[in-house]
Amino acid sequence: MAPQKHDALAFRLAETLRLLHAGERPTRLQLAERFAVNERTIYRDLNRLGDVVEAGADGTYQLAIHHRSNLSPADLHTFAKTSGVEQLFPTTDRRSWLDLLGSNNSSFLVRDSHFEVSRPDSLAFRQLSQAIEQKRCCSLTYTGKSRRIEPYRLVHNKGIWYLAATESSKLKSFALGRITDLRIQDQTFEAAPLIYAQIEDDDDIWFGQDRIDVRVHVSASNAHYFLRRNVLPHQRVIEQRDDGQLLLACVVSHHNQLLPIVRYWIPHIRILEPAWLQQKLRDELTDYLD
């Protein structure tokens, strides 16, 4: 009987610490209900934890300040999801985020230099965030032209921040670093669900209305690069042949969304359809060589 009591005590203490590390602030009653024991038992458990925990004036308990991280695992998870690096880590459970927050993080090294040299302007970033939340129209200057836009999302794409906004009801992208004379207007707008869907669905910032369906052949020697991640916009595998060659499909809104990628992978990639897009690539390469 004693080992069972000891196991129950160890479980309660470990689970209590896990909850506190996750940023939760339970009361003695909540812990008693969670573990199906009386409050007196919980009181003794908390005393066993000593100065690791501290009681608040409202009857809740939390980690003592010298044991507390400024960020909870939930905070880190939210930031990872917002910044687009959630997929970088193998799991998203609390234990993984606690490991990442640990004092010894020499196990991790992430290299990515694909960012703008200048950070986004903090004032403009904050103003646009508020305008998006409040659905307020904005005026700005972009490429030397005064514009009136309706802001929908701040989008980080390939190291550059863009504003996804409608201008004259047409969805466009505006690089934050090129926006000047930003003014938030008092007038509000009614956001269109279809615009949100278009922004979420497109994995790039080419928000064109037209879509070009493309078929691409990839050589066997480089097929693994296209299998481990999506190199092409909206990439999907149509066929993986026995000799290792790949037939891929992708969807683009503009030819310049694809052609620079294809040029990078020459001679291991070839556009099969549409024929006019392959011919355009051929003409561009011929002009360059001439």
Side-chain angles (χ1 to χ4, degrees), residues 22-166:
E24 297 189 28
R25 300 182 61 179
T27 64
R28 287 203 302 265
L29 178 59
Q30 289 171 336
L31 291 173
E33 292 175 346
R34 185 183 188 95
F35 301 125
V37 296
N38 58 49
E39 282 193 66
R40 186 65 185 172
T41 299
I42 296 300
Y43 180 78
R44 289 195 296 267
D45 288 351
L46 293 171
N47 281 338
R48 287 186 174 95
L49 293 175
D51 65 354
V52 175
V53 299
E54 63 184 17
D58 56 355
T60 61
Y61 286 82
Q62 62 182 353
L63 285 179
I65 191 167
H66 51 281
H67 290 287
R68 201 184 312 153
S69 169
N70 290 330
L71 289 176
S72 71
D75 293 329
L76 187 60
H77 185 194
T78 300
F79 175 77
K81 188 174 182 179
T82 304
S83 60
V85 299
E86 183 183 14
Q87 292 286 106
L88 188 63
F89 302 100
T91 57
T92 55
D93 55 77
R94 284 188 174 94
R95 181 68 262 165
S96 298
W97 297 120
L98 285 173
D99 290 342
L100 193 62
L101 281 172
S103 58
N104 180 17
N105 56 8
S106 59
S107 301
F108 304 100
L109 176 61
V110 179
R111 285 198 174 114
D112 191 346
S113 59
H114 304 291
F115 295 101
E116 287 185 285
V117 175
S118 301
R119 292 173 180 260
D121 180 79
S122 58
L123 178 58
F125 203 84
R126 185 167 60 253
Q127 288 178 329
L128 285 171
S129 297
Q130 293 174 350
I132 290 169
E133 292 177 4
Q134 299 168 6
K135 297 179 176 58
R136 294 171 62 186
C137 300
C138 302
S139 64
L140 52 85
T141 300
Y142 194 78
T143 61
K145 180 181 177 182
S146 297
R147 303 169 187 263
R148 187 179 183 280
I149 57 97
E150 299 172 345
Y152 274 80
R153 284 280 191 276
L154 286 168
V155 181
H156 184 262
N157 186 73
K158 299 176 182 176
I160 299 173
W161 278 104
Y162 296 89
L163 172 66
T166 55

Side-chain angles (χ1 to χ4, degrees), residues 10-24:
F11 171 77
R12 290 199 309 273
L13 295 179
E15 183 67 4
T16 299
L17 286 173
R18 186 190 69 79
L19 292 172
L20 297 177
H21 270 290
E24 297 189 28

